[in-house]
Amino acid sequence: MLKKNRLACTLACTAVLTAVGAAGAPQSPADPQALARIRAAALRSDWSWQRLEELTDRIGPRLSGSPQQAAAITQVAAAMRALGAQVSLQPAKVPHWVRGEERAELTDYPGRPEGLTQRLHLTALGGSSATPAAGLEARVIVVRSFDEMHARAHEIRGSIVLFDAHFDQRLADNGRAGDAYEQSGRYRFMGPSEAALLGAAAALVRSIGGADYRLPHTGATRWKEQQTPIPAAALAAEDADMIARLAAHGSVAMRLVLTPQTLPDADSFNVIADWPGSVLPNEYVIVSGHLDSWDLGTGATDDGVGVMAAAGVIQVLQQLQLHARRTIRFIGWTNEENGGRGGKAYFDSVSGAMNSQCAAIESDEGAGRALGIVAAVTRDSLTSLALPLEALAPLGATVLEPREGEVGSDVAPLQSAGVPGFAPLVDARHYFDYHHTAADTLDKVDPVNLQTQVATMGVLAYYLADLPACLPRVAASAH
Amino acid sequence: MLKKNRLACTLACTAVLTAVGAAGAPQSPADPQALARIRAAALRSDWSWQRLEELTDRIGPRLSGSPQQAAAITQVAAAMRALGAQVSLQPAKVPHWVRGEERAELTDYPGRPEGLTQRLHLTALGGSSATPAAGLEARVIVVRSFDEMHARAHEIRGSIVLFDAHFDQRLADNGRAGDAYEQSGRYRFMGPSEAALLGAAAALVRSIGGADYRLPHTGATRWKEQQTPIPAAALAAEDADMIARLAAHGSVAMRLVLTPQTLPDADSFNVIADWPGSVLPNEYVIVSGHLDSWDLGTGATDDGVGVMAAAGVIQVLQQLQLHARRTIRFIGWTNEENGGRGGKAYFDSVSGAMNSQCAAIESDEGAGRALGIVAAVTRDSLTSLALPLEALAPLGATVLEPREGEVGSDVAPLQSAGVPGFAPLVDARHYFDYHHTAADTLDKVDPVNLQTQVATMGVLAYYLADLPACLPRVAASAH
């Protein structure tokens, strides 16, 4: 998943960095040569790529509660142990939602030749309830916004609401993929719940993404406390278009079959692997990604690449036998996609000793080339990032993007407690073409891009872990 | 379908056209103002677009023998009658193949965690036989070519052969989409048959197309006389890649379930609609496209756009109340995709009076903008195309592409009897992204591009139908 991705800082931050340079030595003693060695080793290593190939080709989709997710936890824990890291599995109960049959067809529409139906391409949203096994048949009400739905509130009861909000690819093309995702994504997150409040029989959303290959994009939808879920699915963009065209001529009816099951919560684990600090081993800089994925593709870009880039940081440190002052802690999160239980479990485990959490890095914005660093830190702290950015300059990762708000949903609870948050800034222009679809597969990852993410996270993690003092806490209001 | 699409003639043909201009008046009396009126009317009309919307949104996929194909025949015949054309339905028995279940998974491969399988995305090829209902399980042999298969002939018996030949998008990007299609398409056409000869249990082909959205591309496969078909399917490119990667490490096994049925041949029809000639009503210039489509998408680009562009020629002539010297005959072909029975039936019906067939135009190369004219004519005849190209110059359709060989598979039998063949030359760089997939839907068609095809076919058909004498026959050896 991804929340924001603004390339907002090139000019302002260049000025900041220049000022830092002019002001003399930065406060960190981190050895620039160590950072350069980390960068170089990351760009030579194919360890993360090999692990990503195992994770995607050999294990595959890793939805919470699935045997594939369990296999992924086993795989990464073993790989970390083989590197000599101190590995622990942190338990978390996770939602266990299992996709079933999913099909739909238009059973009536203006100009329909007698006896014909029009087949649709869709996929259930995580958390959807099931229709009757034979399906439900109802009129489709097409709306472009929540306002439009409320203006037609009297038509909603018993109907299937289709939220036909288009993904704004122009925003994505201009470095604001996260904003584009938020803009149409809120209909996936909140649409089914809002439609249910008005008595809708089911809710559909136009797929959130920029492509046009009749690919439905799944994802989580949210229900209010105590709310009974209704059937909810994402239609391929083409099908949303077709229904909107037909509905412009008159009434459209659909038969919808979705048979997912929500099983009892399952046992799962965060994989935690510590690369001990030489001076302050009980203070931690986290490098992380999430091990779970949606169930349609093999989760290569969301978030195989992120979790293996993070794991690769430990491999590089092991290879160089480098230990920073603090412990660098790899976390492979469980259940990012449909519950966030991994992030919550970790937060709960450290909430009594939050000062031990020096900084948290998460990569979960796709497989693009690393362009720099996203930093959710105080304004003053921005200047201290000159050194790692300088070390990353040879690979072109020179942009510093200050972010207000979360850098990754697993580390968001830590951020809300003031922990500085970071992410590699990646080129996400095409991330949402494949996001949460069957086409999220290994071929979408360029091995060199993956190496740039290892380098960026490695340099940043080592730098932060080697600082004389952790960067100051960030006011919660900034999130 | 599409065979060749070369942008090969810009320089040479410009010279030819210039020479014609210098030589004085061309031989045709076709009124340039009439051609200009046809062009202008085509670029104003939304009639073809409205019919295409009906054909795709309201009728949908139109595989031979399906009720949708029958509905399409009814629709187009009614539309032609409404224009006042002389409509007849020409019977043709068509293959009736019906897709069933289709799923596959890798059940073993190097490094497979115990108990896991990896799901694949594929679709049966037209003409595939069925596996047992519970599926067949066999080793997968990955080959890149027929030579490689024959070199491994001893491994083929009882195995599933995967032809992993990549579509050359660079060729397509350079105006040679048809060559790219032929190059990898031969594995779809002939691979299953060749594999069956070596005792393969089933055959798979990497999807023929340039995209990467885990879309399988269906299409026809050919069996030899008396050959018993085996199960045959197209894998999504991603799945072919994955299997090739895994097979590089060792043995890969697959469970394959395909349950298509081949039913008795069904009744179908070519839709023929004549717009009578004023002088020689028993001589014909054909404008055509095919009404059938594959069953995954709604056949908007293959070949809804072509058949409705051809139909639009009649609408423009009706609107202008223009009659050329000869009859302009619209044909909506049946069964182009998996049998060619429509083209054969028509050929048989005119084979005793082939001189009545003056010229044949077919549009079946997708929804791109018209760039000019493809002409399978004698070298001398090329010069006579200066006038229609001049009339098309205002819309930029200025390229004359001489072609040796067929311009469309439905008119190929006529061409083989010497009838000059023509097609609109269209931009096909992205045609194979969607070709024969679920994503071949109306949104892939730009209404203006469709208008340019109507204009090109209309100007060309009127010009050919108004010539004092038909263009000379083409030597069969040219095909």
Side-chain angles (χ1 to χ4, degrees), chain A residues 49-50 53 55-61 67-68 71 99 106 109-113 116-119 121 211-215 238 241-242 245-246 249 295-298 430 433-434 438-444, chain B residues 49-50 53 55-61 67-68 71 99 106 109-113 116-119 121 211-215 238 241-242 245-246 249 295-298 430 433-434 438-444:
Chain A
W49 177 261
Q50 298 297 336
E53 189 170 335
L55 186 71
T56 54
D57 280 357
R58 303 186 188 204
I59 294 174
Q68 286 86 350
R99 190 176 301 283
L106 298 182
Y109 46 89
R112 180 177 68 92
L116 297 193
T117 60
Q118 182 75 272
R119 185 169 31 141
H121 285 239
D212 53 354
Y213 289 82
R214 218 168 180 186
L215 266 181
E238 285 91 339
D241 282 343
M242 180 169 64
R245 286 192 299 266
L246 291 169
H249 296 287
D295 56 337
L296 299 177
T298 61
H430 291 287
D433 290 2
Y434 306 114
D440 182 0
T441 47
L442 183 62
D443 52 289
K444 307 309 180 303
Chain B
W49 177 260
Q50 298 298 336
E53 189 170 335
L55 186 71
T56 54
D57 279 358
R58 303 186 188 204
I59 294 175
Q68 286 87 350
R99 190 175 301 283
L106 297 182
Y109 45 87
R112 180 177 67 93
L116 297 192
T117 61
Q118 182 76 272
R119 184 169 32 140
H121 285 238
D212 53 355
Y213 289 83
R214 217 168 181 185
L215 266 181
E238 286 90 339
D241 283 343
M242 181 169 63
R245 285 192 299 267
L246 292 169
H249 296 286
D295 56 336
L296 300 177
T298 61
H430 291 287
D433 290 1
Y434 306 113
D440 181 0
T441 47
L442 183 61
D443 52 290
K444 307 309 180 303

Side-chain angles (χ1 to χ4, degrees), chain B residues 173-215:
Chain B
D173 288 342
N174 285 285
R176 294 175 59 196
D179 289 344
Y181 184 59
E182 280 198 353
Q183 204 172 77
S184 50
R186 65 205 186 106
Y187 293 99
R188 192 193 81 213
F189 282 120
M190 293 150 32
S193 168
E194 295 292 326
L197 291 180
L198 296 178
L204 305 173
V205 296
R206 181 189 182 92
S207 284
I208 314 304
D212 53 355
Y213 289 83
R214 217 168 181 185
L215 266 181

Side-chain angles (χ1 to χ4, degrees), chain A residues 388-415:
Chain A
L389 282 168
E390 204 169 287
L392 294 169
L395 63 87
T398 54
V399 179
L400 176 58
E401 179 191 296
R403 185 174 293 181
E404 291 187 6
E406 69 179 60
V407 297
S409 59
D410 299 296
V411 300
L414 297 172
Q415 288 186 269

